[in-house]
Each structure stands twice: as structure tokens, then as C-alpha cells.
């Protein structure tokens, strides 16, 4: 593990340089992790992929059956400590299993994510010793399944506004819970619910562990008819004077909102993981189809329009992997530091993830949107056949759509990422204002007219990355100065700043992964990876330029606006414009040669 001084705190990537040797990449998986990846992939290829039609036909019993098998193989207990019958593996390993078990169908991905994340984890991280001993072993082995009851008809993004009530009985031995919850994943076959309810007129909701006993005032609505994730059981749950023993309160009274928010942080980065293998499988399927589909006496994979799509799809997937596993290892390192300092497992895990909540939100947005684009292009490569339910593209596209809504909508997560960064700055955890003022000074200074040497691989991209960070500091710093605490009311400005922040983290992750692997195996072996990194940076610069103009024009005018627009041009300027078509062709050549996503 890196020394603590080498591990940046959450959000610091925007103001500090990260060294390639200090990031974790998918090429750094241990023997044990590679064996786990192989075991999960084998399981999915045997038990899930050949039966995709059963998931699409709403075979809920089959989802439950596959989940039981996953439990028997230990896949549901990866993150659970060994004393509760789990495997007690680190955060990177839990990401890895989530990644490879989720790619074949969104139905299993949802059942798995809901059970291991929001179904089991709140008890593991907030439960008393008695609660953990009673419930976690059954959940870790798949004997029982978990579900999470937070959302209500009137409480979606505003999670703390739920109206479900918990009333203490006269003898003080139990709470009577009454209310309605909706969109509850796994409701149809779960054994235990994590339920959030309000006691009296408390400001914050409280969490409870509630066993699913229909004779105790619990009724389920019919299965919801959904656009995708057809075999994921999704129902309303109604509680009518459901008796819950006082010892089943989770954590303390009023702590439910905190539990919900922390569960969402973990859920966000796990959702990013759950979208990775979905992209790999779509790219591989589209590649194989394009190699076999002959038009004008030529396989369509030889046509530039198809090669462009495959190159862009693969680039985004490569970048997404780079960022997701970088953040996962940062969280794991932070957990290890906390454990070494004497924190409990519960506290170390919670604080480790909370530290990187900004990165979790960034990943949730970036990867879910890339997955939607990937599946959309997958349909396009298949042409008319892509629209048919007989090919895997149509269901992949429908399943991908929920990812932008789960774990807080992408709009909420965009605003959260910048909002949390500003809060960290006010707390002194990230020095934003110092670097922002330095950028403001640079705007009025005389630019350098030296011609830099960009002969080393990715040297120009690294220089552009520094420029991107300056753009964010210029826009966000000026906006924060102008609006102060009212910044959060300017949602469109926050969304534009967030897009800049997201592109920076994703581009930097790709640069660092490729740079680390060049040092490890040489330039020749990384030609396509270098091309993907250069292509992504080019796309990121284009997106950042648009969003920065939008942001600047919304709050600056006259000389200030002119100065900032000149700065934007300076900070995003290419000295040597890359041949974008050439880069795409390098990437497409390798995909074509290996007939799959091969990075």
C-alpha cells in the first residue's frame, strides 16, 4: 500500500497532481482477484447469459434461483466480514465481483446490487452485534434476501421527506410502522426489509430492520411493469401497524437519513462497476456482428462509420474502468488507514467511502451515461436487427436506462459533486480558493510563448489536463465568489461546472492508467490505449469548452467575460492537433483483430 502522504483525500484531484505509480489500474489485479473474476465470469456465462430470454419474460423465480446459486458460491458475501459468514474481501474485490456479475442482464445486476448493497450493507455497517449475528450470515449466504424501503410516492430525490410513521407502543417494546413504499427492488422474494420511517415529528427519519411477515401488516403491490430490468422484482410495500421490536432500530433514532446517504455513496460507485461489463459485452457482441455482417460485399466492420462507433464505445469503457478502479483503491486505502489507526470495521468502511463521495457521484454519472450511449450505438451497429428482441442489444439498451435514475438521478449527482467539493473547501479539506486565485492572476498575466516539447507519449494530454483544471477553478471559483452560499440555487451553472469536473476526473484516470502501463510494458504494447487516451482527452476538451462558455456567460459580462473566454481558449489550446480519425482507426484495428473488447 502507498504511504499515507501519497494518498490524496477525496476531491483533491482537482488541485493536486496524482502520480501514475500511485493509482490502481485493472492491470494491478492480484492473482486472487483474477481468479475471482474468472469464477464470476464463468458463473454468468453458464447460468445467466444463455437464459437472457427468461429474464426478459419476467421470470422472477429464475432471478431468485440465480441469486441463490450466487449465494452458494460466496458472491453475495464478498464484502461481509468473515465472522458473519462472508469472505471479508477488500473494496476493490467487491467492485470486481459487482462488475462481472452485472454485465449480462440488468435484472440480475439490480437484484444483486439491491441485496448486497442497500439490503445487507446497512446492517453490516450500522447494526449492533446482535443484529449482525442474527441477520448478516443469512444474507451473506443467500439463505435470505434483503430489500431497502426508502422511496415513497411523495419522497424521491428528497429522501428525508418520507411520511411513513413509527409509533412507540404503550409498553415501549416495539414500534408500529405504517406507510407506503414504492419501487422496492427484491420485494417479491425478500426476507428482510431495511425500512425508513419518522418517529413523532423528528427532523430526520430512522432506520429499522423489518422481517417480511405478511401476517404482521405487510402487503405487497403487484409487480411493476417497467421499461427494462424485467425480471427484477419491483413492488410497492404497504405497512399497516407492522410491529417492529425496539431492538430492531438500526443505529440511533434520527440517524436514518445519514444511513440512506452513506448507502447511496457506496451504491453510486457500485453502480458504476455494474455498468462496466455491460459495456464490454455490448462492444464484443457488436464487434462480432459487424465482422459477420456483409454489405456491399464487405464486412461492415471495415466501414469507417462503424469503426468510429466501436472506437468511441471502447474508449469510454476503457476510461470508465480506469476511473472506477482508481477510486475503488483510493477508498480501500483510506479504509486500511482508518483500521490501522484503530477504527472499527464499521467506522473505517463508512468514513472511507464518505471521503470519496465526490468521486462516487462523478463515476455514477459518467459511467451510466457512457453505458446508455454504448447500448444505443450497439443497436445502431446491428441496424434493424438491433431493434429486434431476438438480439441482445434491445434489452441491454432498456436495462441501461435505469442507471441514470438509480442512486440519485444524474442531475442530483451532478449538483452534489460540485456542492460537496465547495463544502470540502469551506471545511479546509480541499484548498480551492488558493489555486482559483492563482488562475485569476494568470488570466491577467502575460502568457508564455514558448513551444513545449511534446515528444513523450501523452505529454500534451498531461499539459491539457492542467489546463482543464484551471478552467474548472476559473469557472467554479468565480461563480462561488459571486454567489457565495446561494450558488446551489443556480442549478444550470452547477450542472455545467459539474460536467467540467467529471471530464477532468475521467480524463486524468485514463492518462494515469496508460502512463502506468507504458512504464510497465513499454509504448509498443499500449498503442491502442494511448490512442484511446488521446481520443478521450480531445472529446473532453470539446465538452469542457462548451460547458465553460455556458457557465461563464451565465454570470460574467463585459471585460470579465472577455478575460475568462480568452483564458478558456488559452487553457484548452492544442499545440499539435491529434489526427482523430487516425486514433479511431488504431483502436478499431485492435478490436477488429481480436474480435472483442480487448483492453
Amino acid at each position: 500500500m502507498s504511504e499515507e502522504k501519497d494518498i490524496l483525500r477525496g476531491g483533491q484531484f482537482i488541485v493536486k497532481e496524482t502520480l501514475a505509480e500511485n493509482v490502481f489500474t485493472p492491470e494491478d489485479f492480484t492473482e486472487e482477484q483474477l481468479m475471482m473474476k474468472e469464477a464470476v465470469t464463468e458463473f454468468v456465462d453458464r447460468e445467466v447469459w444463455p437464459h437472457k430470454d427468461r429474464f426478459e419474460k419476467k421470470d422472477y423465480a429464475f432471478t431468485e434461483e440465480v441469486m441463490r446459486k450466487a449465494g452458494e458460491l460466496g458472491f453475495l458475501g464478498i464484502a461481509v466480514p468473515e465472522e458473519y459468514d462472508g469472505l471479508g474481501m477488500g473494496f476493490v474485490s467487491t467492485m470486481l465481483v459487482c462488475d462481472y456479475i452485472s454485465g449480462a442482464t440488468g435484472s440480475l445486476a439490480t437484484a444483486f446490487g439491491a441485496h448486497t448493497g442497500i439490503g445487507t450493507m446497512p446492517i453490516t455497517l450500522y447494526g449492533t452485534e446482535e443484529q449482525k449475528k442474527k441477520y448478516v450470515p443469512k444474507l451473506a449466504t443467500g439463505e435470505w434476501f434483503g430489500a431497502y424501503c426508502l422511496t415513497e410516492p411523495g419522497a424521491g430525490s428528497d429522501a428525508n421527506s418520507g411520511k411513513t410513521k413509527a409509533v412507540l407502543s404503550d409498553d415501549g417494546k416495539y414500534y408500529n410502522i405504517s406507510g407506503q413504499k414504492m419501487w422496492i427492488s427484491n420485494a417479491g422474494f425478500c426476507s428482510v426489509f431495511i425500512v425508513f420511517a419518522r418517529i413523532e415529528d423528528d427532523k430526520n427519519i430512522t432506520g429499522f430492520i423489518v422481517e417480511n411477515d405478511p401476517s404482521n401488516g405487510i402487503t405487497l403491490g403487484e409487480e411493476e411493469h417497467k421499461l427494462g430490468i424485467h425480471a427484477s422484482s419491483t413492488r410497492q410495500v404497504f405497512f399497516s401497524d407492522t410491529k417492529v421490536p425496539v431492538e430492531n432500530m438500526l443505529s440511533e433514532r434520527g440517524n436514518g437519513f445519514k444511513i440512506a446517504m452513506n448507502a447511496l455513496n457506496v451504491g453510486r460507485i457500485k453502480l458504476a462497476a455494474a455498468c462496466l461489463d455491460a459495456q464490454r459485452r455490448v462492444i464484443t457482441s457488436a464487434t462480432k456482428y459487424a465482422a459477420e455482417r456483409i454489405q456491399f460485399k464487405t464486412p461492415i466492420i471495415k466501414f469507417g462509420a462503424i469503426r468510429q462507433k466501436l472506437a468511441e464505445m471502447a474508449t469510454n469503457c476503457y476510461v470508465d474502468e480506469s476511473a472506477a478502479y482508481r477510486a475503488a483503491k483510493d477508498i480501500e486505502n483510506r479504509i486500511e488507514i482508518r483500521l490501522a489507526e484503530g477504527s472499527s470495521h464499521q467506522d473505517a468502511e463508512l468514513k472511507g467511502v464518505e471521503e470519496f463521495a465526490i468521486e462516487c457521484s462523478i463515476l455514477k454519472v459518467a459511467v451510466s451515461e457512457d453505458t446508455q450511449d454504448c447500448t444505443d450505438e450497439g443497436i445502431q451497429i446491428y441496424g434493424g436487427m438491433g431493434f429486434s428482441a431476438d438480439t441482445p442489444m434491445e434489452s441491454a439498451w432498456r436495462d441501461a436506462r435505469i442507471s441514470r435514475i438509480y442512486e440519485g438521478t444524474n442531475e442530483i449527482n451532478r449538483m452534489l459533486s460540485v456542492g460537496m467539493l465547495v463544502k470540502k473547501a469551506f471545511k479546509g479539506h480541499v484548498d480551492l480558493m488558493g489555486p482559483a486565485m492563482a488562475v485569476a492572476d494568470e488570466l491577467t498575466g502575460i502568457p508564455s510563448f514558448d513551444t513545449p516539447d511534446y515528444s513523450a507519449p501523452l505529454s500534451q494530454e498531461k499539459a491539457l489536463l492542467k489546463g482543464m483544471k484551471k478552467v474548472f477553478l476559473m469557472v467554479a471559483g468565480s461563480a462561488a465568489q459571486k454567489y457565495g452560499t446561494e450558488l446551489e440555487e443556480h442549478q444550470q451553472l452547477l450542472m455545467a461546472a459539474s460536467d467540467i469536473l467529471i471530464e477532468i476526473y475521467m480524463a486524468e484516470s485514463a492518462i494515469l492508467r496508460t502512463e502506468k502501463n507504458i512504464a510497465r510494458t513499454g509504448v509498443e504494447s499500449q498503442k491502442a490505449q494511448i490512442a484511446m487516451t488521446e481520443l478521450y482527452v480531445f472529446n473532453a476538451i470539446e465538452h469542457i469548452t462548451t460547458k465553460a462558455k455556458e457557465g461563464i456567460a451565465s454570470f460574467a459580462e463585459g471585460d470579465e467575460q472577455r478575460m475568462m473566454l480568452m483564458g478558456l481558449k488559452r487553457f484548452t489550446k492544442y499545440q499539435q492537433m491529434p489526427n482523430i480519425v487516425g486514433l479511431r482507426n488504431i483502436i478499431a484495428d485492435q478490436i477488429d483483430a481480436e474480435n472483442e473488447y480487448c483492453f
Side-chain angles (χ1 to χ4, degrees):
M1 192 183 84
S2 309
E3 292 299 309
E4 181 171 1
K5 64 179 185 297
D6 295 330
I7 300 169
L8 298 188
R9 297 195 64 163
Q12 283 187 333
F13 71 89
I14 197 68
V15 290
K16 293 195 173 183
E17 187 180 358
T18 303
L19 300 176
E21 59 261 33
N22 290 338
V23 296
F24 182 88
T25 76
E27 292 75 23
D28 292 316
F29 290 141
T30 63
E31 262 326 294
E32 182 186 50
Q33 285 166 338
L34 290 172
M35 282 166 65
M36 185 64 73
K37 170 185 158 185
E38 206 172 298
V40 176
T41 305
E42 195 180 288
F43 170 75
V44 172
D45 286 342
R46 184 182 68 245
E47 303 286 349
V48 185
W49 191 254
H51 308 294
K52 272 180 76 76
D53 60 322
R54 292 185 68 176
F55 292 101
E56 294 317 305
K57 288 172 182 162
K58 305 186 180 181
D59 191 340
Y60 304 107
F62 185 59
T63 301
E64 184 180 354
E65 184 189 317
V66 173
M67 282 287 286
R68 290 220 185 275
K69 288 177 180 173
E72 286 160 15
L73 291 168
F75 299 150
L76 302 182
I78 300 292
V80 172
E82 291 177 54
E83 59 263 40
Y84 309 111
D85 292 355
L87 295 179
M89 292 188 164
F91 200 82
V92 172
S93 295
T94 70
M95 284 280 284
L96 184 67
V97 171
C98 183
D99 174 351
Y100 284 91
I101 209 166
S102 302
T105 167
S107 296
L108 178 62
T110 299
F112 178 86
H115 171 76
T116 56
I118 51 185
T120 305
M121 188 188 60
I123 306 177
T124 313
L125 297 187
Y126 286 97
T128 62
E129 193 55 38
E130 292 71 29
Q131 288 169 346
K132 286 190 284 187
K133 280 181 178 158
K134 184 175 180 182
Y135 295 108
V136 176
K138 289 178 178 173
L139 293 166
T141 55
E143 182 187 338
W144 279 20
F145 293 116
Y148 180 84
C149 297
L150 176 64
T151 305
E152 297 185 16
S157 297
D158 185 4
N160 203 29
S161 65
K163 293 185 168 46
T164 297
K165 284 284 182 192
V167 179
L168 189 62
S169 62
D170 293 340
D171 60 10
K173 289 186 176 173
Y174 55 85
Y175 282 94
N176 281 317
I177 292 185
S178 296
Q180 174 186 2
K181 300 289 184 177
M182 67 190 301
W183 309 125
I184 308 308
S185 297
N186 295 355
F189 58 81
C190 81
S191 318
V192 64
F193 297 106
I194 308 292
V195 181
F196 295 91
R198 194 176 309 279
I199 301 170
E200 295 170 349
D201 292 322
D202 287 0
K203 182 186 169 200
N204 290 324
I205 50 180
T206 298
F208 296 89
I209 304 168
V210 182
E211 292 182 28
N212 185 5
D213 174 5
S215 68
N216 187 19
I218 298 174
T219 50
L220 302 180
E222 291 298 310
E223 289 287 355
E224 300 285 354
H225 300 292
K226 307 184 296 288
L227 172 70
I229 56 170
H230 278 173
S232 157
S233 174
T234 314
R235 296 185 174 197
Q236 292 194 55
V237 184
F238 301 90
F239 299 97
S240 177
D241 282 331
T242 300
K243 291 181 170 59
V244 182
V246 289
E247 57 269 24
N248 273 32
M249 182 186 284
L250 192 55
S251 187
E252 303 153 18
R253 177 171 172 170
N255 218 18
F257 185 61
K258 194 172 182 185
I259 296 172
M261 292 303 100
N262 280 321
L264 286 171
N265 286 335
V266 181
R268 282 163 187 154
I269 189 169
K270 292 285 177 70
L271 184 78
C275 288
L276 295 174
D277 202 48
Q279 291 182 71
R280 294 186 203 103
R281 285 178 183 268
V282 165
I283 295 162
T284 293
S285 295
T287 301
K288 291 184 189 308
Y289 182 82
E292 290 164 9
R293 174 74 168 158
I294 309 291
Q295 290 292 281
F296 311 105
K297 299 180 181 173
T298 308
I300 64 170
I301 200 166
K302 303 299 180 191
F303 294 132
I306 301 295
R307 291 162 70 77
Q308 174 175 342
K309 290 181 190 305
L310 289 170
E312 296 281 355
M313 290 154 79
T315 294
N316 287 341
C317 184
Y318 174 80
V319 173
D320 292 345
E321 291 172 345
S322 310
Y325 284 105
R326 170 194 182 184
K329 184 61 173 169
D330 283 342
I331 289 170
E332 188 172 287
N333 287 342
R334 183 59 59 183
I335 291 167
E336 285 177 10
I337 288 167
R338 293 248 174 205
L339 288 171
E341 289 170 349
S343 290
S344 66
H345 165 260
Q346 290 162 289
D347 196 52
E349 289 264 342
L350 284 167
K351 291 287 194 291
V353 176
E354 203 177 337
E355 177 67 53
F356 291 94
I358 294 166
E359 287 80 353
C360 292
S361 279
I362 285 172
L363 283 162
K364 193 271 172 180
V365 174
V367 185
S368 66
E369 293 182 2
D370 286 344
T371 305
Q372 188 80 68
D373 292 343
C374 182
T375 56
D376 197 65
E377 291 288 39
I379 288 178
Q380 201 69 10
I381 290 169
Y382 268 71
M385 284 301 292
F387 205 71
S388 164
D390 293 332
T391 63
M393 292 298 151
E394 174 263 0
S395 62
W397 181 83
R398 285 186 292 97
D399 284 354
R401 186 61 185 84
I402 189 63
S403 305
R404 286 159 55 198
I405 299 169
Y406 272 162
E407 314 295 349
T409 65
N410 284 11
E411 291 71 25
I412 289 282
N413 274 288
R414 277 186 161 88
M415 291 182 284
L416 268 177
S417 60
V418 178
M420 289 188 289
L421 185 61
V422 170
K423 278 195 182 113
K424 277 202 163 206
F426 284 136
K427 284 182 181 170
H429 293 176
V430 178
D431 176 18
L432 272 188
M433 291 326 285
M437 287 168 79
V439 172
D441 290 343
E442 194 176 334
L443 288 178
T444 55
I446 298 165
S448 164
F449 295 104
D450 296 342
T451 307
D453 175 15
Y454 289 142
S455 53
L458 301 180
S459 50
Q460 180 167 225
E461 282 64 35
K462 288 172 77 174
L464 285 163
L465 178 68
K466 286 180 180 167
M468 291 185 214
K469 291 183 181 184
K470 287 176 182 176
V471 171
F472 177 81
L473 292 166
M474 174 178 76
V475 174
S478 302
Q481 271 184 320
K482 185 170 181 100
Y483 296 119
T485 52
E486 288 168 17
L487 181 61
E488 60 189 32
E489 291 167 28
H490 298 268
Q491 291 194 349
Q492 293 186 54
L493 173 57
L494 279 178
M495 302 258 286
S498 170
D499 274 17
I500 300 169
L501 186 69
I502 289 166
E503 292 295 356
I504 290 166
Y505 188 73
M506 303 306 284
E508 182 174 68
S509 299
I511 290 168
L512 293 169
R513 176 183 181 182
T514 307
E515 199 183 356
K516 187 174 187 180
N517 287 325
I518 289 170
R520 190 164 15 207
T521 58
V523 171
E524 201 55 38
S525 72
Q526 297 294 308
K527 272 191 170 168
Q529 287 87 338
I530 292 167
M532 287 191 286
T533 307
E534 290 182 4
L535 177 58
Y536 191 88
V537 169
F538 173 81
N539 290 337
I541 289 280
E542 292 295 297
H543 191 51
I544 283 171
T545 302
T546 301
K547 290 296 170 181
K549 283 178 182 173
E550 196 181 297
I552 291 164
S554 77
F555 67 82
E557 47 192 30
D559 286 345
E560 184 191 15
Q561 187 188 96
R562 273 193 296 278
M563 185 76 76
M564 289 173 82
L565 290 172
M566 280 168 60
L568 172 62
K569 203 169 177 183
R570 189 197 309 179
F571 297 145
T572 56
K573 186 182 176 188
Y574 270 94
Q575 297 291 335
Q576 302 158 10
M577 182 59 69
N579 175 355
I580 298 306
V581 173
L583 294 177
R584 291 191 192 120
N585 282 334
I586 292 168
I587 302 159
D589 282 343
Q590 189 153 339
I591 297 168
D592 186 5
E594 304 207 22
N595 203 28
E596 63 178 359
Y597 177 80
C598 50
F599 305 107

